[in-house]
Structure formats: C-alpha cells, structure tokens
Amino acid sequence: MDRRSFLKTSAKGLAGLAITSCGSGGGGSGMGSSANVSLNTGVFTRQFFTPPEAGFSVVAGRKVFNLTMQRGTQQFTGQGVTQTMGINGNFLAPTLRMSQNDLVDLNVTNQLGQETTLHWHGMRVPSLMDGGPHQKILHNATWNAAYAVVQRASTNWYHPHAHGSTAPQVYAGLAGMLIVDDAETLALDLPKTYGADDFPVIVQDRDMAADGTFAYSVSQMDKIQGKKGNTILVNGVLDASLDVQAKEVRFRLLNGSNARVYNFAFSGGLMFKQIATEQGLLASPISLSNITMSPGERAEIVVDFSAIAVGQSVRFQDLNTGIALFQTKVVARTLAITTTPTVLSTTLVPLTRGQASRTRAFVLSMNRGNVYINNKQFDMNRLDEAMVLNQVEILDIQNASNMDHNFHIHGAHFQLLSRNGVAPLAHEAGLKDTVYLPANARVEAIIQFTQYTASTTAPYMYHCHILEHEDAGMMGQFTVA
Ligand code: C2O
Ligand code: CU
Ligand code: CU
C-alpha cells in the first residue's frame, strides 16, 4: 500500500511515520513517550495560522508594546490538552513589527511563575536591552527594553534566554517573530502583504504522545543530541493548509526548534528564490530547490505559484525526515503580481579578510556527554572574551565533535568567509547571526562590533543554539569596549 492510500484507509488518519532520532533506538522517556511515531499525517485538515501582528501605542514618538509571558493550554489534535506557555496568548507570540529608525519600548511582564528573560534574537541592541541571562525578569515583575532600531530590514525572533531554562521555556511555546522593515526593502517589487502573500513560517518539532500532547522531558540521549520531537508544527499548527494566490508568495522561514536541523523543499521540485538571510536582503536572489536550516536560523524565500493550476496544492516538506509540514493550495489571484527583482540590495558592503586585525578561535567540543566552547562551560561570573569596538575580526569556529552544533552571537552580525576551507555557499554570503556547523565543520566568519559597548555586568552571549546544549553550558560571554 502506498503512503497515500494508507493515509486514506487509516482509521484515525494518523500515519505511523517513524522518525529515527536515536541510533540506539531507545528514545522513549516515560510519561508522554511517543514511541517515535509522528502525528504528521500528510493530510492537511487544519487551517494555517498566521500569528497576528502585535498591537502598539505611540507615546512621545516611541512605539510601545506590552508583552505578557503567561501560561495556557492548547489542543494540537483536538484530543489531549497540553500545558503551554505563550506571550499575550496560550502558545507562541504575536509578530512584532518595527521599522528601521523606530524607537521602541517593550514592556515585558512575567506571569510564568518562574524566572525568565526575553531576548530579541538578531536585533542589534545595547547589551542591557538584549534580554540575555543577566536581564532576569522575576515572576510578577515587568522588564522594560527600550532601544532604537538601527539595523536593516530583516526577519528576527524573540524567545527566553534564562540560563538553564531556555530549552523548556521555548519548548512550552515562548517564541515569536520580529520583523524589521526599511525603505530599501519596502521599495522593491516583492510580496509584502502580511498574512496574504507574506507569511511567517515558524517550524518547531515536539515529541507528541498519541493524543497530541507534549511535555518537556529529556532523556540522556536528548541531553547529548538535543531534544527532537516526532511531530513538526508550523506556527503552532499540525498539518495545516494555506490558501495562496497564483502569484509570488514570500515565506519568512524560522527554525524555532530546540535541536532539529531541517532541509526544506517544496514538492514536485518546485524551485524558489532566497531573497534574504537572517540579517536582510541578499545582493541578488538565489535560486534554490532546498535549504538547510539549523535552530535559530532564518531565511526569506519567494515562491512563484503562478504556473500551478488553481485548485492544485504544493507541499512544503522537510527532506531530512520526509515529513510534509504544510500544504499551499493555489487559489485565484486577487492581489497584484510581483516580480522579484534581479538586484535586491546595493547597500551590503562586505567586510574583507584584509580588514581584519585578528582571528579569534571558538572550538565546540563534547566529552562524555558534556558540551564545551573552548573547553569551558558557561559561568555567569566569568567573562570569556573582550571584543574591541569597531575592530574587524575573523571568528574561526570549529566543531570538533561528531555531532551537529551551531554558533550564534549577540550584538553584531557576521558574514562567512569560508566553510571547510572553501568559499561559503552563495546563500551563506549574506549577513547572518547564526551558522550551522555539522560534525567536524569549520567556518570563518568576519565581524565588527559597532555603536554599542557591553560592560562586565551586561555582557553579550555567544552559544550553540541547540537549546539543550546552551542550557548545559555551551555558551560564553563577552564585553565590547
Ligand atoms: Cu536565539 Cu542567544 O539566542
Ligand atoms: Cu540571540
Ligand atoms: Cu551544540
């Protein structure tokens, strides 16, 4: 029986797709254990959910957002009830939208019953406003983050960052998208109507029980490999169907998973264009059939559905697991067409090797299940690096283990100079803040910290964005002066 007819005849419509996440096959972990059976069915019965844009008020020329981190419940399959966390809601968070040169005030109230922080991943902000482990928000307290939006248009995200509890809090649902707009990007003939031809795609896996519930628990294997789930959600929804018009559509992809690396592609080999990396427009679009993304990475892509017949659908899938994440069903066009330009940005001036004054080494390693950067585990009271304001440096980042890691740094963006000794892939040549390091990979990234210093009491972080590794200490901190 092929997969399609199996799905049709399966009593509950649940396909027993196995995801192999553990070599030893011992992935189960007590209550809520799922025997690695995915609840993704390949039949798209739920409606795609576009997180609403966060409301704000304007006070004395500043955009003021009020965010409450709270507990809630959610039914992911219409059966069991999962205890969740969300921001201004039960699960996930509204999309924050800001423009370059905005002054923003974010009032963050913690109603979780436990300590947290809220970090603006990808935003270049003063370290005191960064929401890293040092900017703790106690239960019932409100933290105010006030900053100017100094960067170009880009797709960023926000999530907790309290040391030791980032993984469970993100897993419970605390994550949202943060989109920055600027004049250069808005002037281009790109899809830009949020929720109509411009969609966030937050991809997260969860280890679901048969009734669609999940609870964070980590086995010894999860601690080593990071927590991977059997079931993949998009914007918090399982098996969603999205009506798209027969025209270009933009997707803002975010791997918001704790640990899983995806290789995204459309069914039928439908090609797409990557237009932006984590920190905004590429110089020109890059034509791709698939894109690999590690946790924390973002990419903006444009897919042209105009050649797909109305009524037909295309699946967005992960080639690594073989799971179809959602389908796009093509409907007649009512919005104007766009034609993605062949030149996107002329303002991206790359840093060059010759400008660098030094190379700084970061070695990611594992030993007996422990994780290290430069042979150290994170210590809130130890400063690991001292960056020099305005100095151009090369970061030589090496994965000295046989397992996946990645590397994210706060406070500045970087560009890749090399990957494994050769030129990076075209789509990695844009501005980034997170880079994938598969087993034994090595990259050189060029970086410059400008504008903001970071003091000894409010350092910036660098870390592996596999959240179980981060929580276990695969993180360091640095000043900028
Ligand atoms: Cu997305 Cu330091 O984190
Ligand atoms: Cu970050
Ligand atoms: Cu790691």
Side-chain angles (χ1 to χ4, degrees), residues 119-122 130 157 159-161 296 408-410 434 461-463 465 467 470 475:
H119 168 59
W120 326 103
H121 179 136
D130 196 39
W157 64 303
H159 63 76
H161 213 306
H408 166 54
I409 193 161
H410 296 205
T434 308
M461 303 291 136
Y462 57 85
H463 55 91
H465 217 291
L467 299 182
E470 175 183 338
M475 178 155 71

Side-chain angles (χ1 to χ4, degrees), residues 46-116:
R46 297 185 186 81
Q47 220 183 332
F48 187 93
F49 175 69
T50 301
E53 291 182 290
F56 60 88
S57 53
V58 178
V59 180
R62 307 181 68 88
K63 281 186 183 165
V64 181
F65 296 91
N66 294 315
L67 301 174
T68 301
M69 302 170 80
Q70 59 197 58
R71 287 176 177 272
T73 58
Q74 187 99 332
Q75 286 185 290
F76 293 92
T77 60
Q79 297 182 57
V81 175
T82 300
Q83 304 297 315
T84 55
M85 293 179 178
I87 297 175
N88 296 357
N90 288 324
F91 190 71
L92 298 181
T95 297
L96 294 171
R97 191 123 201 178
M98 305 172 182
S99 298
Q100 191 177 37
N101 301 321
D102 274 354
L103 299 172
V104 299
D105 265 311
L106 299 127
N107 299 312
V108 184
T109 301
N110 174 4
Q111 293 293 348
L112 298 173
Q114 56 186 243
E115 199 172 289
T116 191

